[in-house]
């Protein structure tokens, strides 16, 4: 059976239209926190000592003066804590460099509790898992490049 020239042209045009369509964007995981955007990062926090309360995921811009400063974050999202490993997701405004700090709000009061001398009494962690034995990490040690949607970062929680 011979295919007419006009039918061949129609098939070629239809195939070109199908292959020219942009790929469907990957959808953010359910429960992703923050201002919705086309960009997000999945955070896997391991080492949670129990499933009490919430895990706070704090997103900071690439501005060292704002890191860990009062009102310096872009957003704080909360997900239910699970003993061992907790997964969360946070939207980021655009691809770029950010920092993420976590704390395990075991008693659900919405803040990281501290001892009388100011040391944390609840678990915490940072992107890139920097050493925090004698002080808070430097901003340069926690910077994370998020070039596209769907990046996954693993943060190990530390407890006093």
């Amino acid at each position: 059976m011979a295919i007419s020239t006009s039918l061949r042209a129609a098939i070629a045009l239809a195939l070109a239209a199908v292959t020219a369509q942009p790929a469907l964007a990957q959808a953010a995981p359910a429960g992703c926190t923050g201002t919705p955007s086309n960009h997000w990062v999945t955070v896997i926090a391991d080492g949670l000592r129990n499933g009490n309360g919430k895990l706070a995921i704090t997103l900071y811009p690439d501005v060292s003066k704002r890191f860990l400063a009062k009102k310096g974050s872009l957003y704080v999202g909360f997900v239910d804590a699970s003993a061992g490993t907790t997964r969360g997701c946070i939207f980021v405004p655009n691809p770029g460099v950010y920092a993420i700090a976590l704390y395990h709000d075991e008693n659900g009061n919405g803040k990281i509790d501290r001892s009388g001398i100011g040391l944390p009494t609840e678990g915490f962690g940072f992107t890139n898992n920097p050493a925090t034995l004698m002080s808070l990490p430097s901003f340069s040690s926690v910077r994370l490049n998020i070039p596209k949607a769907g990046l996954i970062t693993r943060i190990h929680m530390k407890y006093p």
Side-chain angles (χ1 to χ4, degrees), residues 101-114:
L102 305 179
Y103 72 90
H104 183 186
D105 185 12
E106 292 178 88
N107 61 6
N109 66 355
K111 62 181 183 175
I112 188 163
D113 293 330
R114 297 181 181 277

Side-chain angles (χ1 to χ4, degrees), residues 39-103:
H39 311 286
W40 66 90
V41 61
T42 297
V43 176
I44 301 172
D46 61 32
L48 274 79
R49 67 178 166 196
N50 60 53
N52 299 343
K54 303 275 186 184
L55 178 69
I57 305 171
T58 308
L59 180 69
Y60 291 93
D62 191 21
V63 179
S64 63
K65 288 188 277 190
R66 291 182 59 180
F67 180 59
L68 300 178
K70 191 170 186 134
K71 300 189 185 230
S73 70
L74 294 172
Y75 183 79
V76 180
F78 293 88
V79 297
D80 291 335
S82 296
T85 301
T86 298
R87 290 178 72 99
C89 171
I90 191 164
F91 286 108
V92 297
N94 293 298
V97 177
Y98 298 89
I100 297 173
L102 305 179
Y103 72 90

Side-chain angles (χ1 to χ4, degrees), residues 14-24:
L15 285 173
V18 168
T19 58
Q21 297 295 320
L24 294 175

Side-chain angles (χ1 to χ4, degrees), residues 8 32 39-41 53 56 61 64 66 74 77-78 83 95-96 109 118 120-121 126 129 134 141-142 146 157 159:
R8 267 190 218 150
C32 202
H39 311 286
W40 66 90
V41 61
S64 63
R66 291 182 59 180
L74 294 172
F78 293 88
N109 66 355
T121 59
F126 301 96
N129 298 302
M134 300 303 285
S141 71
V142 299
I146 303 173
M157 299 298 290
Y159 288 84

